[in-house]
Amino acid sequence: MFQRTIFLVLFFLLASLITINPTHAIRSFPERVGFSISHQFSEAPEYTNGFSCPVLGGDSFPKTCDPSLVHIAMTIDSEYLRGTIAAVHSVLKHASCPENSFFHFIASDSSPVSSEDLTRVVRSTFPSLSFRVYQFKESLVRHLISSSIRQALDNPLNYARSYLADLLDSCVERVIYLDSDVIVVDDIAKLWRITLSGSRVIGAPEYCHANFTKYFSNGFWADTEMSRVFEGKSACYFNTGVMVMDLVRWREGDYTRTIESWMEIQKEKRIYELGSLPPFLLVFGGDVEPIHHRWNQHGLGGDNVVNSCRSLHPGPVSLLHWSGKGKPWSRLDLGEACLVDFLWRPYDLYRHNDHHLHHHHHQHNLQLLDVL
Ligand SMILES: *[C@@H]1O[C@H](CO)[C@@H](O)[C@H](O)[C@H]1NC(C)=O
């Protein structure tokens, strides 16, 4: 009932937008990256800690080792930069202790935009943010990647999440991994504090209604040696775009190598069609801490069909995820936005030339999201 009201409001908002000719808003974003890159985004408002926040130690060296920090890892590249910036903005806006978040941005060492330039963008957009940009060596995985059903999934940077335990300082014991096409609309500390029971290494929302069989080939299921990996487990599908990872247990179990060995098997025998996800299912399927579904309202990018829009799943929402082919920033720029894309828009810090148009709707959306 509550959601139906929101959708009704959203519908009228969309209707009012359609009357505006959006052609002047169309531009190719990646082409402009590299040129005065740090001026492409507006500075975010300053978000500060509440009184009850744990005080950062000050003595910890490096600063990343402070036990009061909430660690968040994301990839950063020119293509999804606008998404990454919006996601960070959303985390800070809704965090009870925004100053206690530390962002670990993973950039490709083969990126056309240098990590210095990416650092400059983040610094100018979020002047007081605690963060570090890491260089991910694409050569680590390039030889392990076999082509998947969607070219975007073959980007080596998609595999960076398997290397966080190596990349991040060993004093970082837990990290939240987030895809660049998400918006957090709740206090990230709630996700940070979940318990990973027993010896569980990762936590993520599970989808046990999805037919797990179809994520692997018939050949895989026919091979008793391989399919034994799921023996005695009731493995469910989960999405790797939002994960809480225990890096201590990860390092102990050397799961990066296990993932790599499945990728080697894939190269030889082709046991799945998707990109970086199936190795995670193989290693952790059936042993994932099930997080509430509110933390990954996935699929908002729509099916891999042009113009397919998805609505929110029933239930509360803490994180919106535009997984799938359609991304809110490109649909908005093209004037082909889905309703859910207007929930992403208030977090967008990309500088549009037409400030009037942008700010007008910005206000409306902020109010909508506060209702949500
Ligand atoms: C699950 O998918 C497999 C392979 O596509 C199919 O053979 C099986 O019938 C499906 N099971 C259910 C319960 O739909």
Side-chain angles (χ1 to χ4, degrees), residues 17 332 341-348 357-358 361-362 365:
L17 272 171
L332 284 161
D341 298 343
F342 294 103
L343 295 171
W344 180 86
R345 194 173 193 165
Y347 302 97
D348 186 18
L357 175 76
H358 185 60
H361 294 285
H362 192 90
N365 284 305

Side-chain angles (χ1 to χ4, degrees), residues 230-368:
F230 293 121
E231 206 174 69
K233 295 179 178 175
S234 45
C236 296
Y237 170 80
F238 61 92
N239 180 286
T240 51
V242 180
M243 291 185 285
V244 176
M245 309 166 87
D246 184 317
L247 295 180
V248 175
R249 289 176 189 165
W250 185 293
R251 291 176 186 120
E252 276 167 13
D254 203 7
Y255 294 108
T256 303
R257 303 290 96 76
T258 320
I259 286 174
E260 285 180 338
S261 61
W262 279 113
M263 290 172 76
E264 278 159 19
I265 292 172
Q266 163 72 352
K267 272 240 116 157
E268 221 174 280
K269 299 185 173 166
R270 193 149 184 103
I271 52 173
Y272 53 79
E273 296 297 323
L274 293 170
S276 61
L277 172 75
F280 270 86
L281 297 181
L282 286 159
V283 177
F284 300 110
D287 211 7
V288 168
E289 182 71 28
I291 297 176
H292 195 288
H293 289 136
R294 66 188 304 151
W295 287 104
N296 196 346
Q297 287 265 339
H298 65 293
L300 303 182
D303 299 314
N304 298 324
V305 181
V306 186
N307 291 337
S308 78
C309 289
R310 292 268 199 92
S311 49
L312 294 176
H313 307 268
V317 184
S318 293
L319 183 147
L320 301 150
H321 185 188
W322 277 260
S323 52
K325 211 171 187 173
K327 299 305 166 198
W329 51 89
S330 36
R331 291 196 299 223
L332 284 161
D333 280 2
L334 288 167
E336 293 167 1
C338 295
L339 281 175
V340 287
D341 298 343
F342 294 103
L343 295 171
W344 180 86
R345 194 173 193 165
Y347 302 97
D348 186 18
L349 291 168
Y350 183 63
R351 271 185 216 263
H352 288 265
N353 286 339
D354 193 336
H355 284 283
H356 173 70
L357 175 76
H358 185 60
H359 283 289
H360 177 65
H361 294 285
H362 192 90
Q363 292 305 321
H364 282 283
N365 284 305
L366 273 175
Q367 283 160 16
L368 274 173

Side-chain angles (χ1 to χ4, degrees), residues 108-129:
S108 162
D109 66 342
S110 326
S111 157
V113 182
S114 70
S115 40
E116 288 76 22
D117 277 339
L118 293 168
T119 304
R120 224 165 279 141
V121 179
V122 178
R123 179 56 63 222
S124 66
T125 313
F126 307 103
S128 52
L129 188 72

